[in-house]
Amino acid sequence: MTLFERVFNGNDAVYGLTEQAIDAAIAQHGEEKAVSFPNTAYCLPCYYAVTGVKVTNLKELKEALGVVKTLMTREPRLNDAFMSGVATALCAEFIEALKYIDGAAPYEEPLYGHLADAVIRELGVPLVTGDIPGVAVILGSAPTVEEGVALVKSYQAQGILVTLVGGICDQVAEAGMATGANVRVIPLGKDVTAVIHVVSVALRAALIFGNVTPGDAKTLMEYTMQRVPAFVNAFAPLDDVIVACGAGAIALGFPVITNETENIARVPKSLIVQEDVSKFNATSLEARDIKIKITNIDIPVAFASAFEGEIIRRG
Amino acid sequence: MSEFKMTTIEEMEAATNRLLETGAKVGADAWQFRVKNQTPHCKFGEQGVCCRICAMGPCRITPKAPRGICGCDAHGIVGRNFLKFTAAGAATHSDHGREICHTLYCTAEDGNYKVKDPDKLLRLAKEWGVETEGKDIYDLAHEMAEIGLMEYGKPFGYQKFLDRMPEGQKEKLIENEIAPRAIDREVSTSLHMAHMGCSSLPEALVKQSLRAGMADGWGGSMMGTEFSDVLFGTPKPIDTEANLGVMVAENVNIVVHGHDPSLSEMICEYADSPEMIAYAKEMGAKGITVSGVCCTSNEVAMRRGVPMAGNFLQQENVVLTGACEAIVVDVQCIFPALGPLSKCFHTKFVTTSPIAQMPDSEFIRFNAETAGENAKAIVKMAIENFKNRKPELVHIPDMKAKATVGYSVEAIVKTLDGVTNSQVDETGTTKPLLECITSGVIRGAVAMVGCNNPKIRPDYAHIELMKKLIANDIIVIASGCSAQAAAKAGLMDKSAKEICGAGLKRVCELADIPPVLHMGSCVDISRMMILAAELAKDSGLQINQLPVVGCAPEWMSEKAVSIGNYVVGTGIDTFLGVDPYVSGSSEMCELLTEGTRKWTGAAYTVETDIEKLTDLMIERIEEKRTALGI
């Protein structure tokens, strides 16, 4: 199967789930039921950033799904794969939004789920100044806990903001690693759709700091490509849904580095197969053109700006 | 980011019409008028069924007279005409390549010509198994030149460059009697076969046409390109400009036109010298501008960034600006009309090659031994001619576009190295391009080549085809007058990525390239063959499996037919926008559009509807992809 066909399949699958979820929610709550994420001024931030339309209730969400469907063209061209990737991301946002209906709290510590505007404003300045040189999105389960934790720590030591989705959340917890926005390691959630919460960070950054007009999708994607130094590390096995999400990431300018070797097509600077997980860090930084000057201070503990917010507990 | 704007065909035509007004004032003739005098064309000639190879004829085939006097039928006549057409094209390129070999033989440490790319010479020597250790580079150059010259007339064996093909392809060509032996031999054999009472079997004539073409592409042209790089430097990406607006009214304008860079390089060298610039100022000009027309323009643009004034059907326009002090030509595609036309202006029409002598020109015999003095004399003559300009006739259309050119195979590989990841990829290969193609980001590649032809609205086919191809994520490599059409329109401006599909746009951004890559002059189509061979070798496929096609939408010359034959011979489907005078024979049509497939894996598609031509190319590319499962 070609790469584009995998993207289209993944997109179709997620679209189907989203449609069911919305219909079920309408059946349960009625069309007028409010839909929103907590602590944001941007409604469903990704959909708002891409289309300029604010979704407030289930009726509007259903309409929005119709708009998303128009992005799902099926010509064998990269534009179609990109737009299907974006459509997949928007569907993921809808699915995640439904989890928050009625003020529900679907995520429990240490998982974050949706990130509040305040967190983005706080991280935004160091992101612009380069104090946070990059944003890593780690997806899936590392081959071993040790490899996963080593990878997360390698980014953390470079001051890179690390977001985790899927099995890697459990892997860092199992290793007893301290996580949280204060130490720049943010476990988002275990469902693949939780990846939208970091996409939401990038898109809100474009609206907040880049002054991009909501709905100006072209400028939005140029901004994220040029200004948001994010990249994705996706662990094997990759299913079609993850491949479709990856297309969305690449559309925004974020390269995907994976150790998957089966049924995957390589794309220079965009979709890179690195079989050796211990080289994910170097491969990713080079792919995203992130250059970090490190002065190694020979001390017995880790040292990085990521640890500035660390809380030392008694005992 | 500034908004990208192309120069439209309508704007170019308006500029031409304005120049023709100047022409009318001085009573100048132009191709636009001569075309009218020549149409409608003779149907027998158009269909290829007129034969005049012996004095029993001329014969022509009609339903009432299905055979010539010797008994040859339409298929034999069309086939022989096609073969002779090809042989002439192959001879032309090959003689150009031979001249370059001679120039290489004349190189010396302190001579007119030097070895500018010794590394490339060493690479070629290694490829040919020539000992380089401890050898003076000029001794090596002379040795290589001699070996190169032997390729033209060696009694045994096949062309050396065939070893560059992917495994098994050379053997297949030998088996099918398409592998070229000595270059001149294939031309001679073609003429022999086309003699009265020799071959009249279409299959044999088509095979020899392919072999004569291959002697050009993998022989003469390739030799010309490779040794030109050794002599004048291997092209690297360089910024330049294109269209008539590159001529500068305040400067002495010297236009180089023709094909062989031995002349144009030397002219550029002297026009750049402080001595000549000072002399120009003394004569009242602000400086000297050298610009080019046709393939010699491509050569100096690729290597020096010398601006391109125009392509084939713009050659008269250069003179019509009234601001051209000298148009200096060597060989091939030079309108004899330039002689009388230049007499209407102050322009000096300077012919330099004994191979292309024309009435109404000043002939300055140019040769490698005296190249320096010759070039200096020509530049001086142009400067001294500045004062003869008639200011009331001067009009240079304010029209030019930016272009980044210089994409030799070496430069393309280097560009591709730029998008590799040092943690996972090897460098020095075409693999990044293959990955883009395999993943579908780029659907394929089209090699756009060829001339202008008044039968097609000039440049329209080149530009419209390219626009549609790049919008469909198909990367375009271009050479010759096709490349110049692209440059004039703005398709070689890096900003042209804005009109590409998302895939090609992303590739242009990441690799920092324009969507249409200028690979050089017509002999440089051999670069495209090398690139195709490299892609095949790096992917483990045969050339005919690659989603790559060739296209000559506005072709005109015999050289173009020779090129078409070696592109098909190499295994690349070729699309033509003008019929090659074969419609008079169903058997020849069948052979060329399907029959060659069994020998080379490729064939011609002829489609004079330009819109359909692009769709057919895209279809073929998608078919090739489907066959590969990508």
Side-chain angles (χ1 to χ4, degrees):
Chain A
M1 199 185 299
T2 69
L3 186 64
F4 290 179
E5 283 164 359
R6 294 197 66 189
V7 172
F8 298 151
N9 285 349
N11 182 211
D12 288 339
V14 173
Y15 179 84
L17 290 175
T18 312
E19 199 174 28
Q20 280 172 22
I22 293 175
D23 290 343
I26 289 174
Q28 190 183 343
H29 303 286
E31 279 193 331
E32 300 304 319
K33 187 73 179 174
V35 181
S36 71
F37 286 115
N39 306 314
T40 178
Y42 300 94
C43 301
L44 304 193
C46 297
Y47 187 76
Y48 178 55
V50 172
T51 64
V53 175
K54 292 191 170 187
V55 169
T56 60
N57 61 25
L58 284 175
K59 182 166 179 273
E60 288 167 7
L61 192 64
K62 179 84 185 171
E63 285 163 10
L65 192 66
V67 175
V68 169
K69 183 77 188 169
T70 65
L71 299 179
M72 295 163 60
T73 50
R74 292 290 176 258
E75 286 293 312
R77 296 285 182 274
L78 187 67
N79 183 57
D80 302 64
F82 270 0
M83 288 306 129
S84 288
V86 171
T88 309
L90 295 176
C91 287
E93 182 170 57
F94 295 173
I95 290 176
E96 287 291 311
L98 292 174
K99 292 184 181 173
Y100 284 90
I101 268 183
D102 258 347
Y107 289 98
E108 282 175 19
E109 270 199 53
L111 302 178
Y112 273 70
H114 171 77
L115 297 172
D117 287 353
V119 179
I120 292 165
R121 285 180 203 281
E122 197 177 307
L123 294 172
V125 175
L127 205 56
V128 173
T129 60
D131 186 40
I132 295 178
V135 180
V137 182
I138 303 181
L139 194 64
S141 297
T144 64
V145 171
E146 290 71 30
E147 285 173 274
V149 171
L151 181 66
V152 173
K153 284 189 171 166
S154 72
Y155 289 129
Q156 193 185 25
Q158 290 164 326
I160 288 172
L161 174 67
V162 191
T163 59
L164 310 175
V165 178
I168 184 76
C169 295
D170 290 335
Q171 289 180 317
V172 297
E174 190 186 327
M177 195 179 165
T179 58
N182 56 339
V183 291
R184 296 189 190 164
V185 177
I186 305 182
L188 292 170
K190 291 178 195 175
D191 296 339
V192 64
T193 48
V195 75
I196 196 61
H197 300 305
V198 59
V199 177
S200 169
V201 173
L203 298 190
R204 273 181 284 167
L207 300 184
I208 298 169
F209 303 108
N211 201 24
V212 174
T213 313
D216 183 356
K218 186 170 173 274
T219 310
L220 181 78
M221 285 159 78
E222 274 170 13
Y223 182 87
T224 53
M225 183 165 179
Q226 283 158 19
R227 303 297 294 274
V228 182
F231 55 86
V232 180
N233 286 174
F235 291 117
L238 301 187
D239 61 24
D240 289 352
V241 170
I242 297 174
V243 172
C245 292
I250 294 168
L252 297 177
F254 310 151
V256 176
I257 290 79
T258 178
N259 58 343
E260 176 69 275
T261 53
E262 296 294 312
N263 199 11
I264 195 84
R266 296 163 169 82
V267 185
K269 292 214 85 146
S270 301
L271 179 50
I272 297 168
V273 175
Q274 170 58 274
E275 295 183 44
D276 184 350
V277 172
S278 73
K279 289 184 183 157
F280 264 27
N281 183 312
T283 309
S284 302
L285 265 50
E286 185 179 327
R288 193 66 182 110
D289 294 320
I290 297 172
K291 291 180 182 68
I292 301 175
K293 273 180 285 182
I294 298 276
T295 311
N296 271 321
I297 305 172
D298 193 14
I299 49 174
V301 292
F303 172 83
S305 52
F307 298 104
E308 278 169 15
E310 194 173 12
I311 296 165
I312 313 285
R313 307 216 182 266
R314 281 170 209 273
Chain B
M1 199 196 317
S2 60
E3 275 299 299
F4 172 68
K5 195 189 160 295
M6 282 182 62
T7 307
T8 63
I9 291 276
E10 287 74 18
E11 287 168 327
M12 292 186 205
E13 283 171 346
T16 298
N17 290 337
R18 168 65 185 77
L19 289 170
L20 289 175
E21 283 173 27
T22 310
K25 274 187 219 162
V26 295
D29 190 18
W31 65 262
Q32 287 86 345
F33 310 119
R34 297 191 296 272
V35 167
K36 281 188 190 138
N37 295 340
Q38 287 296 338
T39 39
H41 298 283
C42 167
K43 280 267 176 296
F44 300 99
E46 268 188 338
Q47 295 172 358
V49 294
C50 164
C51 181
R52 5 171 277 113
I53 63 170
C54 79
M56 293 192 288
C59 296
R60 57 190 192 183
I61 301 301
T62 64
K64 275 191 190 162
R67 288 178 186 273
I69 293 168
C70 68
C72 189
D73 61 11
H75 312 302
I77 291 174
V78 170
R80 286 194 308 229
N81 286 339
F82 185 77
L83 176 57
K84 286 181 85 164
F85 216 96
T86 309
T92 312
H93 280 145
S94 299
D95 221 32
H96 169 169
R98 187 195 333 264
E99 282 301 316
I100 297 288
C101 288
H102 276 294
T103 308
L104 185 68
Y105 192 76
C106 289
T107 52
E109 187 86 59
D110 53 357
N112 288 313
Y113 297 103
K114 299 187 176 57
V115 171
K116 269 201 186 162
D117 191 342
D119 291 341
K120 181 147 188 172
L121 182 63
L122 290 169
R123 282 205 307 279
L124 287 166
K126 199 177 155 209
E127 187 182 330
W128 284 1
V130 175
E131 184 58 57
T132 58
E133 201 61 34
K135 212 173 268 176
D136 177 77
I137 195 78
Y138 285 94
D139 290 341
L140 181 64
H142 303 155
E143 194 181 337
M144 289 291 287
E146 267 194 74
I147 300 173
L149 285 164
M150 286 307 291
E151 290 293 288
Y152 287 84
K154 61 183 182 185
F156 307 108
Y158 300 95
Q159 284 296 296
K160 282 177 176 297
F161 282 131
L162 291 182
D163 290 334
R164 294 178 164 189
M165 288 187 155
E167 216 180 312
Q169 188 161 348
K170 178 181 166 183
E171 290 67 30
K172 197 169 173 224
L173 289 171
I174 293 173
E175 191 188 311
N176 286 310
E177 298 184 306
I178 292 167
R181 301 156 297 180
I183 300 163
D184 291 349
R185 177 181 181 181
E186 299 308 354
V187 174
S188 287
T189 298
S190 302
L191 294 178
H192 184 177
M193 286 175 76
H195 188 275
M196 186 268 144
C198 281
S199 283
S200 50
L201 184 69
E203 189 169 298
L205 293 163
V206 169
K207 272 196 176 183
Q208 181 58 22
S209 299
L210 292 174
R211 183 152 63 172
M214 292 298 277
D216 168 357
W218 293 83
S221 280
M222 205 170 276
M223 205 96 70
T225 294
E226 296 294 64
F227 286 154
S228 290
D229 285 356
V230 169
L231 283 162
F232 309 116
T234 304
K236 296 193 271 280
I238 187 167
D239 291 335
T240 185
E241 291 175 326
N243 218 341
L244 281 172
V246 303
M247 294 172 74
V248 180
E250 299 78 29
N251 288 357
V252 173
N253 285 297
I254 303 175
V255 176
V256 290
H257 175 18
H259 283 78
D260 184 344
S262 302
L263 168 70
S264 49
E265 280 283 333
M266 214 38 85
I267 300 280
C268 291
E269 198 74 42
Y270 277 92
D272 267 354
S273 73
E275 184 197 346
M276 288 294 138
I277 293 171
Y279 191 47
K281 287 184 176 159
E282 215 176 288
M283 292 290 147
K286 280 196 173 158
I288 305 172
T289 298
V290 180
S291 55
V293 171
C294 229
C295 278
T296 212
S297 169
N298 289 322
E299 299 272 2
V300 286
M302 291 281 282
R303 298 198 178 88
R304 292 174 173 263
V306 167
M308 300 175 273
N311 48 359
F312 179 65
L313 282 180
Q314 223 169 352
Q315 58 182 287
E316 289 172 316
N317 290 10
V318 175
V319 178
L320 288 169
T321 61
C324 175
E325 272 59 55
I327 179 160
V328 188
V329 305
D330 48 43
V331 291
Q332 302 170 23
C333 304
I334 299 148
F335 273 172
L338 288 175
L341 178 64
S342 66
K343 296 284 174 242
C344 300
F345 293 85
H346 74 302
T347 307
K348 301 265 189 196
F349 176 45
V350 185
T351 48
T352 61
S353 169
I355 286 172
Q357 304 182 46
M358 294 187 192
D360 298 313
S361 72
E362 310 216 10
F363 183 61
I364 299 183
R365 186 183 285 261
F366 190 89
N367 65 56
E369 288 80 9
T370 57
E373 306 157 34
N374 299 150
K376 202 167 166 183
I378 293 168
V379 173
K380 250 181 132 174
M381 177 200 269
I383 293 171
E384 284 161 3
N385 194 22
F386 183 74
K387 61 177 185 294
N388 299 326
R389 229 191 236 185
K390 295 167 189 140
E392 71 280 7
L393 294 181
V394 173
H395 169 77
I396 300 175
D398 179 20
M399 185 179 275
K400 60 182 175 182
K402 283 197 274 184
T404 303
V405 303
Y407 290 96
S408 57
V409 174
E410 290 86 341
I412 289 173
V413 169
K414 191 150 187 279
T415 302
L416 292 172
D417 280 348
V419 296
T420 56
N421 192 302
S422 67
Q423 300 291 326
V424 285
D425 298 319
E426 54 181 319
T427 52
T429 74
T430 61
K431 283 182 182 164
L433 178 56
L434 284 166
E435 287 175 0
C436 290
I437 293 175
T438 307
S439 59
V441 169
I442 293 178
R443 306 305 294 173
V446 172
M448 291 280 291
V449 304
C451 329
N452 291 134
N453 188 328
K455 286 178 180 163
I456 300 211
R457 193 177 172 188
D459 294 339
Y460 176 83
H462 289 302
I463 295 170
E464 291 307 312
L465 284 175
M466 289 187 208
K467 276 163 61 182
K468 191 156 181 187
L469 291 170
I470 64 176
N472 276 286
D473 290 337
I474 292 168
I475 192 163
V476 176
I477 51 177
S479 75
C481 289
S482 183
Q484 287 176 322
K488 286 193 293 180
L491 291 165
M492 287 176 177
D493 184 338
K494 286 179 186 170
S495 313
K497 68 176 195 258
E498 296 304 329
I499 58 167
C500 295
L504 185 54
K505 182 178 181 212
R506 185 61 74 94
V507 169
C508 289
E509 274 167 0
L510 293 178
D512 192 30
I513 53 168
V516 179
L517 297 178
H518 194 325
M519 289 193 78
S521 63
C522 50
V523 291
D524 291 342
I525 296 170
S526 60
R527 296 189 200 278
M528 298 174 172
M529 299 303 104
I530 298 169
L531 181 62
E534 288 303 307
L535 285 166
K537 284 188 269 187
D538 284 342
S539 61
L541 299 169
Q542 287 296 308
I543 293 176
N544 64 44
Q545 291 178 287
L546 298 169
V548 171
V549 303
C551 180
E554 303 182 24
W555 76 271
M556 159 286 300
S557 70
E558 293 167 315
K559 291 188 291 174
V561 172
S562 175
I563 292 166
N565 279 332
Y566 74 69
V567 174
V568 169
T570 301
I572 300 171
D573 285 316
T574 299
F575 291 73
L576 303 177
V578 178
D579 179 63
Y581 300 152
V582 294
S583 60
S585 159
S586 56
E587 285 181 26
M588 278 297 290
C589 287
E590 198 283 330
L591 270 168
L592 293 176
T593 57
E594 202 47 56
T596 55
R597 250 176 234 291
K598 61 180 177 287
W599 307 316
T600 74
Y604 283 102
T605 301
V606 182
E607 177 56 70
T608 51
D609 181 333
I610 296 307
E611 310 301 325
K612 279 193 197 152
L613 194 61
T614 343
D615 294 338
L616 288 170
M617 282 195 278
I618 296 173
E619 258 173 51
R620 187 67 49 85
I621 285 172
E622 293 296 335
E623 276 168 27
K624 297 247 176 204
R625 295 188 64 90
T626 309
L628 290 171
I630 58 173

